[in-house]
Amino acid sequence: MEVSFEAFYQVLKEKSILYFSLNYQGNPDRHYYVLLDKGTEVLLFSVCTSKLDTILNFVKKRNLDYDTIVFIESEPDNPFSKNTYINCNSPVSIPYSEFKKMFKEGKIKYKDQLDDRYFDQIINGILKSRLVERRIKKLFL
């Protein structure tokens, strides 16, 4: 059964975990993304990775707070099959029109909903980050 974009977008909410590729930081592989804010013109996501070394190097090189990394352990109750890390210093914005196009091309897959406690940690990490723009932080104040 094919779902229309409008129906999909209507049920999409903060904490939704989606799977798609944005060629994130030069990596064309698909990643999981957590929806942080569903705006009318732009959607805001955080990217998930299983590569701890990469994320630790990013934070260390920039002398950032380690609280800007959220760790989600692979457990039966969690949505990820591997230990997963979220770098709260680099939220990703996708224009509504581009997101709609990606969905219609079959490039977006819905995975699950993130637990409130992890979502709260992501928001706190964004607020602590020196790299996140003030306009983005204002969405969560």
Side-chain angles (χ1 to χ4, degrees):
M1 178 172 111
E2 191 170 314
V3 176
S4 71
F5 175 76
E6 290 71 21
F8 175 75
Y9 195 75
Q10 187 173 9
V11 298
L12 197 62
K13 56 187 172 188
E14 292 176 345
K15 300 179 226 154
S16 293
I17 301 169
L18 304 174
Y19 188 62
F20 55 89
S21 174
L22 280 179
N23 201 19
Y24 182 73
Q25 294 185 347
N27 183 348
D29 296 337
R30 292 176 142 200
H31 286 82
Y32 288 106
Y33 290 83
V34 176
L35 180 60
L36 302 175
D37 184 68
K38 184 176 127 180
T40 55
E41 295 179 26
V42 175
L43 292 86
L44 186 67
F45 293 91
S46 61
V47 66
C48 306
T49 184
S50 60
K51 296 180 172 110
L52 178 60
D53 291 345
T54 303
I55 207 164
L56 287 176
N57 286 337
F58 180 91
V59 170
K60 185 177 179 180
K61 284 181 182 178
R62 290 161 182 81
N63 196 28
L64 300 169
D65 190 324
Y66 284 96
D67 285 342
T68 61
I69 298 173
V70 174
F71 170 60
I72 303 171
E73 189 171 4
S74 173
E75 296 178 337
D77 292 345
N78 288 338
F80 303 107
S81 60
K82 297 180 180 179
N83 286 345
T84 299
Y85 307 91
I86 298 173
N87 181 352
C88 303
N89 296 289
S90 306
V92 177
S93 299
I94 303 175
Y96 173 87
S97 59
E98 178 65 20
F99 185 78
K100 182 176 182 178
K101 178 182 175 204
M102 290 168 59
F103 178 84
K104 289 188 171 194
E105 292 173 353
K107 295 180 179 177
I108 296 176
K109 304 288 182 219
Y110 177 85
K111 167 71 173 164
D112 207 337
Q113 287 291 118
L114 189 67
D115 186 87
D116 287 342
R117 68 185 163 127
Y118 296 121
F119 189 77
D120 291 342
Q121 288 176 23
I122 294 169
I123 300 309
N124 288 333
I126 286 172
L127 295 174
K128 284 185 176 185
S129 176
R130 294 189 334 258
L131 300 182
V132 176
E133 298 173 34
R134 179 178 291 270
R135 67 177 178 79
I136 291 175
K137 289 182 180 185
K138 282 184 177 182
L139 296 170
F140 307 108
L141 294 174

